Amino acid sequence: LKTKGKRPVPTKGVIRKIVTDADGAGFIIKVDTLKDAYTYEFEKGVSDNASDVNHPSVFTHFKSSTVTKLVDDAVEKGKRYFYRYRGVNSKGVGEWSAAVSCVQ
């Protein structure tokens, strides 16, 4: 059996899917489960230019969670939103995933 103290720093994950929420406002973000992570940190970036697919210059903390499926209803039409995440455990934090983006 593995113990908490023996786990390595979580590996880098992948955002698998971002879809528009069923109510048409917001996004559902689905990410890989990371075997050695206790929790996940999610960050969000925003670009006012919906056609700009480059990463924003600033990401801000969006949510810490133990689940790998989140809903973001705090979005505006016509803006591009970027998301990334990483795993966290007692050994430290993993590398940020590649950022994935979508437009509301």
Side-chain angles (χ1 to χ4, degrees):
L1 290 175
K2 284 188 175 183
T3 62
K4 288 184 178 182
K6 301 285 183 185
R7 291 183 181 212
V9 171
T11 58
K12 182 177 180 177
V14 174
I15 296 176
R16 290 293 169 195
K17 187 188 305 187
I18 298 178
V19 296
T20 301
D21 200 352
D23 65 6
F27 302 113
I28 299 170
I29 302 114
K30 296 179 183 180
V31 303
D32 278 347
T33 299
L34 302 177
K35 177 179 162 190
D36 293 309
Y38 299 158
T39 61
Y40 303 97
E41 292 180 347
F42 292 84
E43 287 191 334
K44 176 178 170 178
V46 182
S47 175
D48 289 333
N49 179 355
S51 62
D52 183 5
V53 296
N54 295 317
H55 296 236
S57 58
V58 176
F59 278 90
T60 58
H61 178 77
F62 170 56
K63 193 175 281 193
S64 293
S65 179
T66 58
V67 299
T68 57
K69 178 181 173 184
L70 297 174
V71 175
D72 183 4
D73 285 327
V75 300
E76 296 178 37
K77 290 195 180 293
K79 293 187 178 186
R80 181 170 292 275
Y81 291 87
F82 296 83
Y83 300 92
R84 66 184 185 177
Y85 84 111
R86 64 185 176 182
V88 179
N89 68 19
S90 62
K91 292 289 187 182
V93 295
E95 186 179 344
W96 287 110
S97 69
V100 176
S101 70
C102 53
V103 176
Q104 182 68 66

